[in-house]
Amino acid sequence: MNRNNQPTTNFYITTPIYYVNDLPHIGHSYCTIAADCLARYYRLCGHQVLFATGTDEHGQKIMRSATQRGKAPQEFVDEMVQAWKQMWERLHIKYDRFIRTTEPEHISAVQDIFQRLVDGGDIYPGEYQGWYCVPCETYLPEADLQDGRCPQCGRPVEPMSEPAYFFRTSKYADRLLHYIEEHPQFIMPATRRNEVLAFIEGGMHDVCVSRQRTEWDIPVPTDNAQSIYVWLDALVNYLTVAGYGDKQQHQAFAQWWPPHVQLIGKDILTRFHATLWPAVLMALELPLPRTIFAHGWWVTNEGDKISKSKGNVLDPYQIVRGLVDLSDATTTVAVDSLRYFLLREVPFGLDGSFSWNALLSRFNADLANDLGNLLNRSLPLIERYLGSQIPQPGPGAGELADQIDQTRSAVEQALTDIDFRQALTAIWQLVAAANKFLDEREPWNLYNQSKTVELEAVLYDVADCLRVIAIMITPFMPAIAEEIWEQLGLGAAGATPTWAACRAQQLPPGIYIQRGEPIFPRVDIKRALSRLEGRAASEAEKETKAPPSTTITIQQFSKLELKVGVIVEAHRVPGTDKLLRLLVDIGEDQPRQVVAGLAEQFNPRELLDQQVVVVANLEPATIQGVESQGMILAVGDKEPIALITTDRQCPPGSIVR
Ligand code: MSP
């Protein structure tokens, strides 16, 4: 039994293992912070947690980076790993296992699995003919290339024709399709599940799982001329961590397998985690992970993916330093504020773009104003009126109990759904309720009127609510939660937070609060932005100035009728490569028919149920013989690269302004 008096269960959570040739940027940090948040939550609930992250260290890409720096690959990866570990420490990441694919234990698990798959007839020798993208370490058939380049990263690919081993992914296609359909929680979010289903239905080919031997790979056990494909090597890390293949760890493996949650970015879902990975597990007759959740990307304001090769990397620690500089917050507080921002600002499955304005606004509004104010108003009152001592709850106390219970359930549900934003929204509703309670009860008046019983009840409730809030924010902002815990005097009293204690009236009376400095100093956003702009301007001096854009009046803009729509049907327009015929529900009696040039970028199936923004008063036009009664907004100058959607569900027909 755990501290919450519930049976202890194991919770195994993973992040992808990161290519070690790169330095950690905001995208990698996003996934690892999210995993850390869930791991901390389940620990708080009293579960035994195995939270694993690590580094992907083999392959041509790493080898090339090492050579470019004049280093032996092992020396290179050993150095780079330090940067990853340091970043995780700085970002308050508390992992249980850091796996490196160069560990002997992992290498032997990979070879063992390869051999098992050969023995079971799932891996067979053949001849690979096609293309290879080294940066993505991906085999690509001719048909998948886009303008002769990698469809994923747009970079040039290399021709390949050599003997190789293949894994029979095709054999598992039907089983996988049914599994995904029958287990809606397996691939999340739902939009990604549809993409995966479309991919499998499009025909799943056997995957090449070896290459001609190079110096920096794991050799195929019985064929020294071949190396095991780095993606197979990488995916096996999840098994190694759980203790696969190690006889001594047999029990451990049974205890941890399968993972509860595997967090990954959307780019490595379809080809790898949602197809190759489960097919390998099926071949090994192992249960599949409960949930694979593919989160969105952090992109630049121009919609570009943040990546080293594009030179637009955002270093999370530079952001932290910037925040310290602009706000006078401590580094610890700045780190937690960034964690808060990343998990609150954008729904986990969608893309988000980083901006200082958004970060500073969240910092001021949610942290300094809402949470900071609650703390900075309540503790001085307890100090002044009650000599810093937490009173007995008394008969009138417990007024925030219902709100606390509702918040606890809402957060539990949101975290089960891996919806960080929803969880934080619920917690901030409780913060708002506590602030409102203080405003309405006016403890200063109760004091002036010598209404001691009422005064004590109000201040007890507020301090008790702060205690609950401190527990609830622990997974998201562990250091700030601890600071609040200390200021409430709970640390000194020897109390430790548990999720079960997120209930009213569990604050021990008689303890003394230990008021500290305000945690969140407010930022003057205008000044901060102009300081940042000043810096950016001096850096961009050499850049040519963009011509002034032509403006339109608000009246001109208001002529546009923009509405939220939901795609209810999507079909290719026969005889065309680019066009889709979409039926979009915009809240009218009949769905609108819209012809859109999206066919090259989007599979019709993945568009189903997608929320979009429609120009509803565009003059109808006939395109390739099909009438189009509107236009769907998308990002992209010449070709659409992303659809404009809403950040939460809105009824079809809602006006967009
Ligand atoms: N090594 C493979 C994963 C093997 S897992 C068995 C790999 N590594 S990676 O370093 O390139 O990417 C790791 C993860 O970082 C991916 O999930 C990817 O989605 C994520 N991100 C990389 N850039 C990102 C953003 N800009 N935004 C959000 N996450 C992105 O792929």
Side-chain angles (χ1 to χ4, degrees):
M1 301 291 260
N2 60 27
R3 285 179 294 180
N4 301 343
N5 252 354
Q6 286 165 351
T8 311
T9 49
N10 293 327
F11 182 81
Y12 176 25
I13 178 163
T14 64
T15 71
I17 47 171
Y18 302 102
Y19 286 129
V20 77
N21 65 317
D22 224 342
L23 286 171
H25 61 58
I26 196 151
H28 308 123
S29 306
Y30 183 45
C31 189
T32 314
I33 289 171
D36 183 64
C37 176
L38 285 181
R40 285 178 186 271
Y41 167 68
Y42 282 97
R43 283 192 204 110
L44 261 184
C45 291
H47 298 300
Q48 278 195 56
V49 172
L50 174 57
F51 163 27
T53 187
T55 39
D56 195 351
E57 303 188 3
H58 289 123
Q60 261 179 292
K61 187 192 348 222
I62 312 285
M63 182 70 201
R64 285 183 189 176
S65 298
T67 314
Q68 272 163 15
R69 275 161 235 208
K71 301 217 160 149
Q74 188 66 55
E75 183 194 358
F76 172 66
V77 297
D78 286 349
E79 272 175 26
M80 292 297 286
V81 158
Q82 296 317 316
W84 287 85
K85 288 190 169 168
Q86 185 190 45
M87 180 61 84
W88 299 153
E89 199 184 323
R90 285 177 159 173
L91 296 181
H92 304 159
I93 306 291
K94 200 170 147 199
Y95 52 78
D96 300 290
R97 172 81 156 90
F98 190 99
I99 167 104
R100 299 182 54 184
T101 52
T102 47
E103 289 171 20
E105 190 185 341
H106 173 72
I107 294 173
S108 90
V110 173
Q111 289 190 315
D112 178 79
I113 284 170
F114 195 95
Q115 194 54 47
R116 265 177 213 236
L117 296 173
V118 172
D119 295 344
D122 285 297
I123 286 184
Y124 63 93
E127 173 89 17
Y128 181 77
Q129 285 205 324
W131 301 86
Y132 194 76
C133 173
V134 176
C136 296
E137 298 281 14
T138 308
Y139 292 97
L140 293 162
E142 179 87 32
D144 285 8
L145 301 186
Q146 269 174 14
D147 300 329
R149 287 167 172 259
C150 169
Q152 191 68 47
C153 68
R155 279 172 285 202
V157 287
E158 298 178 7
M160 260 182 66
S161 169
E162 57 186 40
Y165 290 90
F166 289 81
F167 175 73
R168 287 188 205 282
T169 329
S170 57
K171 177 174 152 189
Y172 296 95
D174 283 348
R175 227 173 110 187
L176 191 52
L177 207 58
H178 290 131
Y179 189 90
I180 295 172
E181 276 164 353
E182 280 160 20
H183 297 82
Q185 89 293 347
F186 177 48
I187 304 288
M188 283 170 72
T191 44
R192 300 274 164 238
R193 186 183 320 128
N194 291 338
E195 276 172 32
V196 170
L197 289 172
F199 179 80
I200 301 174
E201 280 165 354
M204 225 162 62
H205 304 291
D206 291 352
V207 174
C208 185
V209 285
S210 76
R211 296 207 56 178
Q212 269 178 7
R213 188 75 225 272
T214 63
E215 185 197 334
W216 195 240
D217 286 302
I218 304 179
V220 167
T222 51
D223 185 348
N224 244 333
Q226 295 277 315
S227 301
I228 296 173
Y229 178 34
V230 276
W231 261 101
L232 183 59
D233 166 2
L235 288 166
V236 166
N237 95 80
Y238 304 129
L239 289 159
T240 312
V241 166
Y244 180 88
D246 183 336
K247 285 197 185 67
Q248 263 109 59
Q249 293 211 43
H250 199 70
Q251 246 183 331
F253 185 73
Q255 182 190 346
W256 291 113
W257 197 259
H260 283 74
V261 177
Q262 300 209 270
L263 299 185
I264 56 164
K266 63 180 186 180
D267 53 327
I268 55 173
L269 178 71
T270 310
R271 273 173 205 276
F272 304 111
H273 284 82
T275 47
L276 177 60
W277 174 227
V280 165
L281 290 175
M282 283 175 173
L284 294 170
E285 294 178 359
L286 287 171
L288 304 191
R290 188 185 165 277
T291 295
I292 296 173
F293 195 108
H295 61 74
W297 281 334
W298 280 88
V299 294
T300 64
N301 283 335
E302 290 75 45
D304 260 4
K305 189 187 168 195
I306 291 160
S307 75
K308 193 177 166 192
S309 57
K310 294 196 169 148
N312 58 9
V313 170
L314 279 174
D315 174 346
Y317 207 63
Q318 260 175 27
I319 299 176
V320 166
R321 280 206 213 103
L323 191 54
V324 169
D325 185 32
L326 297 169
S327 72
D328 281 339
T330 63
T331 307
T332 315
V333 168
V335 166
D336 273 9
S337 305
L338 177 63
R339 287 173 62 113
Y340 173 82
F341 171 77
L342 292 174
L343 296 177
R344 173 83 194 250
E345 188 66 7
V346 178
F348 195 50
L350 301 183
D351 291 353
S353 72
F354 177 83
S355 84
W356 274 101
N357 193 4
L359 173 63
L360 296 175
S361 304
R362 283 272 173 213
F363 183 84
N364 266 2
D366 301 4
L367 301 178
N369 279 3
D370 295 346
L371 180 59
N373 248 354
L374 180 63
L375 188 72
N376 301 337
R377 293 163 76 201
S378 323
L379 297 194
L381 296 175
I382 297 173
E383 203 174 63
R384 207 172 314 143
Y385 301 148
L386 305 175
S388 293
Q389 195 175 25
I390 300 293
Q392 288 291 335
E399 286 211 56
L400 290 165
D402 286 349
Q403 190 90 25
I404 288 173
D405 286 343
Q406 280 162 21
T407 309
R408 191 186 60 251
S409 307
V411 176
E412 284 169 358
Q413 187 58 53
L415 290 180
T416 305
D417 298 342
I418 316 187
D419 188 343
F420 301 101
R421 189 161 119 130
Q422 184 52 42
L424 285 168
T425 305
I427 299 173
W428 255 253
Q429 277 164 2
L430 182 61
V431 172
N435 268 321
K436 188 163 171 251
F437 179 71
L438 255 188
D439 292 340
E440 287 173 358
R441 293 311 156 98
E442 301 180 322
W444 41 93
N445 282 342
L446 297 174
Y447 177 78
N448 291 338
Q449 294 159 18
S450 302
K451 293 188 172 167
T452 312
V453 178
E454 289 92 328
L455 174 71
E456 288 186 353
V458 169
L459 291 183
Y460 180 89
D461 278 350
V462 173
D464 189 40
C465 191
L466 265 169
R467 175 190 62 84
V468 171
I469 290 165
I471 302 176
M472 287 180 173
I473 63 171
T474 296
F476 304 87
M477 302 193 284
I480 288 172
E482 204 179 312
E483 172 65 24
I484 298 176
W485 197 256
E486 291 305 319
Q487 292 205 16
L488 286 170
L490 284 158
T496 46
T498 65
W499 191 256
C502 289
R503 287 182 163 73
Q505 306 213 43
Q506 299 210 1
L507 178 65
I511 65 170
Y512 286 89
I513 60 156
Q514 304 186 351
R515 185 154 82 90
E517 289 294 304
I519 301 178
F520 308 102
R522 272 183 64 87
V523 185
D524 181 337
I525 297 187
K526 254 190 172 168
R527 253 191 70 209
L529 291 179
S530 73
R531 271 178 69 193
L532 288 168
E533 264 167 31
R535 277 182 225 163
S538 65
E539 278 163 28
E541 237 172 347
K542 287 174 225 129
E543 281 181 20
T544 47
K545 277 193 185 152
S549 59
T550 323
T551 53
I552 59 165
T553 63
I554 189 74
Q555 287 78 9
Q556 286 168 322
F557 173 74
S558 64
K559 286 188 184 152
L560 272 180
E561 210 179 302
L562 300 175
K563 287 188 176 173
V564 171
V566 174
I567 300 179
V568 289
E569 265 187 57
H571 308 275
R572 290 181 184 279
V573 175
T576 70
D577 291 336
K578 295 195 173 179
L579 298 180
L580 291 181
R581 182 175 69 82
L582 306 171
L583 292 186
V584 189
D585 176 4
I586 58 166
E588 298 170 339
D589 290 345
Q590 295 285 324
R592 288 275 186 110
Q593 176 168 285
V594 176
V595 178
L598 300 172
E600 284 181 331
Q601 289 75 22
F602 298 90
N603 189 308
R605 187 168 182 152
E606 70 176 277
L607 291 176
L608 290 183
D609 298 331
Q610 175 74 47
Q611 282 218 333
V612 288
V613 175
V614 178
V615 184
N617 60 343
L618 196 67
E619 202 174 69
T622 304
I623 306 171
Q624 295 287 325
V626 186
E627 192 188 24
S628 182
Q629 305 155 338
M631 187 170 100
I632 288 186
L633 294 189
V635 180
D637 190 7
K638 295 193 183 72
E639 291 188 335
I641 51 171
L643 293 175
I644 304 291
T645 183
T646 58
D647 72 351
R648 62 197 75 182
Q649 288 296 111
C650 303
S654 306
I655 300 292
V656 178
R657 269 274 162 271

